[in-house]
Amino acid sequence: MPTPSMEDYLERIYKLIDEKGYARVSDIAEGLEVHPSSVTKMIQKLDKDEYLIYEKYRGLVLTNKGKKVGKRLVDRHQLLEEFLELIGVDDSNIYKDVEGIEHHLSWDSITCIASLVEYFKRDESKIRELREVHQELLGES
């Protein structure tokens, strides 16, 4: 299993390739707010662990293993954003909160959150009820 740091890189690389068709060291560095030298070191580690194939000065491509993990990580991130939005977390906090919790949840917890999100999506009245409870707890009813 990749470390949380490796996950951040794989998620970013997967998103860049999905959006642009390629992922450059400079784009990865900018997206993760790290130095390009740090990106190069991590890319070499991801290459060694067979998540991607890296050729110096030529670029990188994700292996099937890297694509599978990258997609799973992007999906996890999107699910957690959707979950936090659903339960009423302020939009300005969602991205930061997801970044703070995504590496600390088991895949079992992620699956349970996915089930809960699906449960609420199947019956919009449940979402309204949840938001009413939320407002009551805030004292805004």
Side-chain angles (χ1 to χ4, degrees):
M1 280 307 289
T3 65
S5 181
M6 291 167 75
E7 286 183 345
D8 285 339
Y9 280 85
L10 284 168
E11 182 180 352
R12 185 71 192 138
I13 291 166
Y14 183 88
K15 284 177 75 173
L16 283 167
I17 291 173
D18 188 50
E19 293 165 5
K20 298 169 89 171
Y22 60 89
R24 297 182 310 194
V25 168
S26 59
D27 295 328
I28 299 165
E30 182 181 324
L32 295 175
E33 299 178 351
V34 297
H35 292 286
S37 60
S38 299
V39 174
T40 300
K41 286 178 190 171
M42 181 58 79
I43 285 174
Q44 290 168 344
K45 178 162 181 41
L46 292 169
D47 182 28
K48 180 176 148 288
D49 290 351
E50 301 179 349
Y51 290 103
L52 55 81
I53 298 167
Y54 173 64
E55 293 182 33
K56 197 171 185 178
Y57 306 115
R58 293 189 54 106
L60 60 92
V61 291
L62 289 170
T63 62
N64 285 336
K65 175 182 173 181
K67 287 177 190 173
K68 183 179 175 184
V69 172
K71 180 172 180 2
R72 191 172 187 203
L73 296 170
V74 168
D75 290 348
R76 175 184 70 183
H77 190 102
Q78 290 171 339
L79 170 69
L80 291 172
E81 283 186 355
E82 185 177 7
F83 172 67
L84 293 180
E85 181 181 334
L86 183 110
I87 64 171
V89 174
D90 188 272
D91 287 347
S92 65
N93 294 324
I94 290 177
Y95 182 82
K96 177 182 53 117
D97 288 352
V98 169
E99 288 297 312
I101 64 173
E102 66 185 338
H103 301 296
H104 301 286
L105 295 172
S106 67
W107 286 104
D108 180 50
S109 293
I110 296 296
T111 301
C112 291
I113 289 170
S115 298
L116 184 62
V117 167
E118 182 60 27
Y119 168 79
F120 279 110
K121 286 166 70 175
R122 287 185 183 182
D123 186 350
E124 296 284 325
S125 68
K126 298 291 184 195
I127 295 172
R128 286 190 296 277
E129 288 176 27
L130 176 65
R131 295 206 171 130
E132 287 171 11
V133 169
H134 181 73
Q135 295 303 316
E136 288 171 13
L137 290 174
L138 292 173
E140 298 177 6
S141 54

